Amino acid sequence: MRSLKRTSGRFRVPSLGPVPTTPRMFPPVSTAALATHAACSSNTTAVNLITSLLIANRGEIALRIARTAAQMGIRTTTLYTDVDAAAQHARCTPYSLALGPQSAAYLDGPRIVELAKKHGIQALHPGYGFLSENPAFAEACEDAGIVFVGPPAKAMADMGDKARSKEIMTAAGVPCVPGYHGAEQTVEQLKERAKQIGFPVLLKSVKGGGGKGMRIVRAEGEFASQLGSARAEARASFGEGGEVMLVEKYVVRPRHVEVQVFADRYGNCVALGERDCSVQRRHQKILEESPAPLLDDATRKDLWDKARTAALAVGYVGAGTVEFILDRDTGEFYFMEMNTRLQVEHPVSEMVTGTDLVEWQFRVAAGERLPLTQDEIEHRIMERGHAIEARIYAENPDKGFFPDSGKLVHLATPKTSEDIRIDAGFVEGDTVSEAYDGMIAKLIVRGKDRETAIRKTELALREYEVVGLSTNIEFLKKLCRSQAFIEGDVETGFIDKWRDELFSPQHTGDEVFAQAALGLLSSQVSQSSRVSASGPHGQTLGFGEASTQTERLFAFKVRDDSSAEEGEIVQVAVTPRGHSLFNVAVSRQGSSETPKVFENVICEPTAGNGSSKAKLTTYYPLARIDSTLVKNPVTEGNITVFQLGEKTELQLVEPAWFEKALGLKEAAASVVAPMPCKILRNEVSEGERVEKGAALVVIESMKMETVIRSPQSGVIKKLAHKEGDICKAGTVLVLFEEAEDASP
C-alpha cells in the first residue's frame, strides 16, 4: 500500500515498450495546471497504478485519451474496424487491435473485454458514445479484473434509465421537469399522458442521449407520427429498449445548462463549473461555453449544489455531467439527465479550470482522491476567464445540417497556443466515413472574458480551410458574429429564432473570381518556365507560347448554397501585361453594369502543390489579397477559394457550353441521395403530383433520420428504391416526369 503523496507522480512505468507520441493536433498540457493537491493526500489511501490501457473508442476521443495516457507513461492500445484501419487513432500508438469489417464492432462488449484479457491489459477507458454508458459492459470489465475508467455500474444503470433517474432526483430534492416516465407505452396511452401534461411535449427515449430519438410534439394531431419517428431512431441508436419513451413538458424557451461533476471513492464530489450548450441543431450541441452567460451567481451556485447532490445520490465515482433545462421565462431550472461519462465538450471545463479531466479519471480509477477542492476550483474559474468550444462537423447547414462524408482533400487549421486548442480525429488525406459520427474536430478557445473569447473563436475559425466535403465552419463564423449570441441571448431554439440572419445569403466579391482566374492561369504555366520568368514586374513574360500573352477567358458558376450569387455564371478575362502583371475584367451574368476592371494587378504565386493547390499573393490597386485555391480531384472543375477568412466554392464552366449556361434555367429531372444512406420509407407514390418542398423519401444516415424534399413541383415518374435499400451517395431516389410536363 502506497500513499497518494508517494504515488501521484509515478504513472511512468519503464520497460513497457514505445510510448505513443503526442498527436500533433493537440497542444501541450501544462504540468503545473495538473499538479495534485497535497492536502487531499492520505497515508492510508490505497492506490493501484494504471500501467496499461485499452481505449474502447475511436476518432478524436481515442486520440484525446491517448495523449494524456502517454504523458502519464501508460502504455496504450487502441481498436479499429476495417473502415478505420488507416485512421489516426489506430496509428497513434504501436499497439492497435483489429475488430474486423463490421462498423458496429465498437459495440461488441464481450469481444472487447476478451481482447483486453488476452493481451493482459490492466484498464479500459470507454471514451464517450458506444459502450461508455453501458452498465453491463462496466460489470463485465469488473468481473474480468479490468479497471473500468468510469463510474460504478449501478450508478450508471440508475442514471442511464431516464425514468429511474428522475425518481432518484425527486427523492433527493432535485427539481425535475413535469412528465410521464412510466410503463404505459402504447400510442394511445402515451398520447393521453401528453394531453394531461399539455402540449407542447417532448418525447425522448429512456436510453436517450445526444439528441437521438427525441422529438418535439406541438399538437395532438402529430403525436403518432412523431412518436413513430422517435422510436425508430432510438432503436437504431440504442438497440433493444430504446423505443421506451418518456413524455415531458416542453419548455418553450429553454436553455441547456449542464454542470461538470467529479467524484472519488471517498465521498468527495466537486463541480467544475457549468457549461451552456443551448446553441443546437437536431437537439445536438454545436457550440458550448463556460461560464454560462447571463446567469446570476445565486442560480449558478444552486446549479452546482444540485448537480453534486445528484451525483452523491447514486454513489457516483468519476467524471459525469448533470444536465438541466433552464426556463428563460421563469428563471427556474429542472434536472434533465445525467451523462455518466466524459462529455464531448469537456475541454471547455478544462480550459476554465486549468485541469486535465482525463488525468483525473485515471487517478480516481487508480484509487486516488480528487486533486482539487471545491474552493480551489472556484478560485481558478474566477481567474481563467471564458472558454468556447465549436464543434466542426461534416454537414451542410444550408441543407438542414444534412451530414456529409468524403476525403479531406485539403485541410488547414488554426495555429494552436495556450488559449487555442484543437481536438481532432482527422488530418489531410483522411476519409470521414458515413459509418460514424461526422465530427471532424473541436476548436476550443479561451479569452479573458466572453467577448474576447467570441472574437478569438471567430478569428480562429477564419483560419480553417477544408475541401472535400461540406462543413459547418462558415455557419459557426456567422454564429460568432450574431449580435444576439454576443449579447448572450441564447436558448435551444436560437438557430430557428435567428434563422434569417444566420442563413442570409453572402455576397461574393469580384476579387474572388479574379483570384480564381489568376490561380488557374498560373497553374497552367509550367514550373520550369515560371522559374525562368524572374524579371521585374511589367517586363515581357518569360514563359509559354506567344498565345499565352493574349487575353484568356474563364467562366465560373457559384456553387455555394449560402451565396447570394449561387448558380450565377461569372466571366473573367485575364490579359497579361508583362511578367506577373495583368489586367482583369469580371463580368456578372445578367448585370447591366459594365465589367469590373482591375488594371495593373501584380499576382505572384507563393506556393503550390502540382496543379491541385495554389497560394497567391495579389496586389490590387487598393489592397493586397492572399488566397488559397484548391481543385477537388474527385469532382472535375470544382474550385474552392479561401480568401480574407471566407470560403467560396466555384465550378469551372467549360467554354463549349458556357454561352448556353448563361441563359440556362433547369428543372431537376431527379433527386439523388446526398450521401450513403438507408431508405426508411417513401412518402409519395408514382404518378403523384407534388409541390415544391413536399416530403419525398425518409432516409437514415449516421443514425439520423432525414427527410428528402422535392426541389420543385412536378409529377413523380418513378421511385427508384424501396424501404430497407442501402444507397450510395449520388444514387437516384426519385425520377420526375419530363420538365415540360411538370409544373414550374
Side-chain angles (χ1 to χ4, degrees):
M1 184 177 294
R2 297 181 177 89
S3 71
L4 173 66
K5 184 178 291 185
R6 294 178 59 196
T7 61
S8 61
R10 298 183 58 184
F11 280 76
R12 295 175 178 81
V13 180
S15 304
L16 291 175
V19 174
T21 56
T22 303
R24 60 181 173 179
M25 61 281 294
F26 298 113
V29 178
S30 169
T31 54
L34 305 177
T36 301
H37 180 46
C40 291
S41 301
S42 166
N43 290 331
T44 60
T45 301
V47 175
N48 298 308
L49 294 180
I50 293 176
T51 58
S52 61
L53 176 75
L54 177 65
I55 302 175
N57 218 295
R58 64 177 298 279
E60 59 87 18
I61 184 56
L63 288 164
R64 164 71 189 90
I65 296 164
R67 178 194 68 178
T68 293
Q71 290 174 337
M72 298 175 71
I74 301 172
R75 186 179 68 190
T76 300
T77 300
T78 58
L79 302 171
Y80 63 91
T81 59
D82 286 0
V83 171
D84 278 341
Q88 297 303 306
H89 77 270
R91 300 163 62 184
C92 73
T93 168
Y95 311 98
S96 199
L97 305 175
L99 291 173
Q102 298 298 320
S103 60
Y106 293 109
L107 293 169
D108 191 346
R111 184 179 177 197
I112 291 172
V113 171
E114 193 57 38
L115 283 171
K117 288 171 59 180
K118 178 181 177 180
H119 291 273
I121 298 172
Q122 179 190 5
L124 183 147
H125 196 306
Y128 46 67
F130 295 124
L131 296 168
S132 63
E133 294 185 278
N134 187 320
F137 181 62
E139 282 184 350
C141 290
E142 218 172 292
D143 293 343
I146 298 167
V147 176
F148 181 78
V149 184
K154 186 179 185 307
M156 195 183 296
D158 286 342
M159 283 303 188
D161 185 312
K162 307 306 178 187
R164 171 67 179 147
S165 69
K166 292 181 187 300
E167 292 175 5
I168 296 171
M169 292 304 100
T170 300
V174 179
C176 295
V177 179
Y180 175 69
H181 316 127
E184 296 179 357
Q185 289 290 311
T186 69
V187 175
E188 289 304 318
Q189 287 172 331
L190 290 175
K191 183 193 292 186
E192 188 59 35
R193 294 289 184 176
K195 288 164 64 177
Q196 293 172 8
I197 296 166
F199 292 97
V201 297
L202 182 68
L203 297 174
K204 62 182 179 181
S205 168
V206 295
K207 293 187 175 182
K212 306 289 177 63
M214 185 181 295
R215 296 292 186 274
I216 300 168
V217 185
R218 301 188 182 277
E220 181 180 350
E222 63 182 51
F223 186 87
S225 63
Q226 292 284 49
L227 176 63
S229 178
R231 279 180 159 163
E233 189 172 276
R235 276 193 298 268
S237 299
F238 310 118
E240 185 179 352
E243 71 277 4
V244 178
M245 289 283 140
L246 308 180
V247 185
E248 294 182 344
K249 180 66 181 174
Y250 178 68
V251 179
V252 176
R253 291 211 309 151
R255 286 177 63 181
H256 182 137
V257 180
E258 60 188 32
V259 179
Q260 176 71 62
V261 295
F262 220 111
D264 61 22
R265 299 179 186 178
Y266 309 96
N268 302 309
C269 183
V270 295
L272 291 99
E274 80 290 342
R275 301 183 288 254
D276 191 296
C277 310
S278 299
V279 181
Q280 306 177 1
R281 89 285 185 262
R282 294 178 181 242
H283 304 294
Q284 290 182 308
K285 309 159 190 172
I286 55 173
L287 196 148
E288 303 96 349
E289 58 181 311
S290 183
L294 303 182
L295 197 63
D296 63 84
D297 285 342
T299 302
R300 192 185 312 276
K301 293 293 181 67
D302 198 13
L303 281 167
W304 294 1
D305 290 343
K306 292 295 192 298
R308 293 165 65 189
T309 298
L312 292 170
V314 293
Y316 201 79
V317 175
T321 300
V322 184
E323 301 191 350
F324 296 93
I325 292 174
L326 181 65
D327 191 331
R328 288 204 55 189
D329 294 322
T330 66
E332 296 178 340
F333 63 83
Y334 306 97
F335 171 82
M336 184 165 55
E337 62 185 18
M338 183 175 186
N339 288 309
T340 55
R341 54 172 166 80
L342 201 65
Q343 290 279 86
V344 176
E345 59 272 21
H346 75 275
V348 172
S349 297
E350 291 181 325
M351 277 286 203
V352 296
T353 58
T355 56
D356 181 332
L357 295 183
V358 175
E359 180 178 8
W360 279 37
Q361 285 187 298
F362 288 138
R363 295 194 180 282
V364 167
E368 296 191 22
R369 294 176 182 268
L370 294 179
L372 296 172
T373 66
Q374 187 66 47
D375 286 344
E376 289 170 325
I377 291 168
E378 292 180 23
H379 180 71
R380 289 190 177 197
I381 290 173
M382 290 178 63
E383 289 187 332
R384 293 183 61 83
H386 198 94
I388 295 174
E389 175 181 284
R391 301 191 191 188
I392 295 169
Y393 278 102
E395 64 183 16
N396 189 332
D398 295 292
K399 293 184 176 178
F401 295 95
F402 197 86
D404 201 1
S405 61
K407 183 178 180 180
L408 290 167
V409 173
H410 171 73
L411 175 63
T413 61
K415 294 179 181 178
T416 58
S417 66
E418 184 180 356
D419 290 339
I420 298 177
R421 164 178 165 181
I422 299 173
D423 285 12
F426 301 93
V427 297
E428 182 174 297
D430 287 350
T431 296
V432 179
S433 168
E434 73 278 1
Y436 302 110
D437 182 80
M439 187 167 66
I440 299 171
K442 302 180 300 193
L443 172 68
I444 310 99
V445 178
R446 184 170 68 96
K448 66 176 183 178
D449 51 38
R450 186 171 184 271
E451 292 75 15
T452 303
I454 293 172
R455 291 196 302 270
K456 290 173 70 174
T457 300
E458 201 262 343
L459 287 174
L461 286 166
R462 292 172 74 88
E463 294 183 42
Y464 257 106
E465 297 177 1
V466 181
V467 177
L469 40 70
S470 301
T471 75
N472 64 340
I473 293 173
E474 302 306 305
F475 180 77
L476 290 169
K477 295 175 192 174
K478 290 182 180 180
L479 276 177
C480 290
R481 293 193 291 263
S482 165
Q483 190 58 39
F485 178 72
I486 293 170
E487 293 172 357
D489 183 19
V490 293
E491 57 189 80
T492 58
F494 182 89
I495 292 176
D496 284 336
K497 181 178 180 179
W498 300 101
R499 178 167 293 276
D500 289 347
E501 174 190 341
L502 296 174
F503 291 93
S504 60
Q506 302 297 298
H507 175 67
T508 304
D510 293 325
E511 290 85 354
V512 172
F513 302 104
Q515 290 290 85
L518 289 166
L520 287 174
L521 181 60
S522 70
S523 70
Q524 292 171 1
V525 179
S526 67
Q527 178 68 32
S528 60
S529 296
R530 282 203 302 267
V531 170
S532 67
S534 56
H537 303 308
Q539 288 188 1
T540 302
L541 288 168
F543 56 77
E545 303 296 330
S547 60
T548 62
Q549 299 182 38
T550 61
E551 181 180 83
R552 296 291 303 277
L553 292 177
F554 298 90
F556 303 100
K557 180 178 180 180
V558 180
R559 295 190 301 115
D560 275 352
D561 294 313
S562 61
S563 172
E565 294 83 11
E566 201 277 329
E568 178 186 13
I569 303 295
V570 177
Q571 178 175 290
V572 183
V574 180
T575 305
R577 297 286 307 280
H579 169 51
S580 299
L581 187 67
F582 306 89
N583 285 350
V584 183
V586 179
S587 304
R588 291 178 177 263
Q589 173 186 357
S591 175
S592 59
E593 299 179 7
T594 57
K596 175 68 175 179
V597 178
F598 301 99
E599 294 186 333
N600 297 321
V601 171
I602 300 171
C603 179
E604 300 175 334
T606 56
N609 179 14
S611 60
S612 63
K613 297 182 184 180
K615 287 185 178 292
L616 303 176
T617 296
T618 306
Y619 296 88
Y620 288 84
L622 299 178
R624 186 199 81 233
I625 295 179
D626 298 316
S627 304
T628 300
L629 276 70
V630 182
K631 294 181 184 177
N632 190 338
V634 178
T635 310
E636 187 176 354
N638 284 5
I639 301 165
T640 304
V641 182
F642 296 96
Q643 188 166 299
L644 299 176
E646 301 294 339
K647 175 183 179 180
T648 305
E649 295 184 273
L650 305 174
Q651 173 74 43
L652 181 64
V653 180
E654 294 297 330
W657 54 278
F658 169 56
E659 295 299 331
K660 179 181 177 182
L662 283 174
L664 186 63
K665 184 176 182 180
E666 297 183 58
S670 63
V671 174
V672 301
M675 69 177 301
C677 62
K678 176 182 178 181
I679 305 298
L680 294 182
R681 60 186 177 275
N682 290 310
E683 297 283 14
V684 293
S685 303
E686 292 179 0
E688 182 178 342
R689 177 173 289 278
V690 298
E691 299 300 318
K692 181 177 180 179
L696 299 178
V697 184
V698 180
I699 66 172
E700 179 187 87
S701 184
M702 296 182 178
K703 295 186 178 180
M704 297 294 292
E705 280 194 19
T706 299
V707 179
I708 303 298
R709 298 187 180 276
S710 178
Q712 64 191 42
S713 298
V715 177
I716 304 299
K717 181 178 182 180
K718 182 179 179 181
L719 297 173
H721 294 277
K722 63 182 183 302
E723 180 179 332
D725 284 358
I726 304 300
C727 302
K728 296 181 179 180
T731 301
V732 173
L733 302 179
V734 179
L735 284 171
F736 289 95
E737 297 288 354
E738 292 300 320
E740 57 265 27
D741 297 328
S743 301

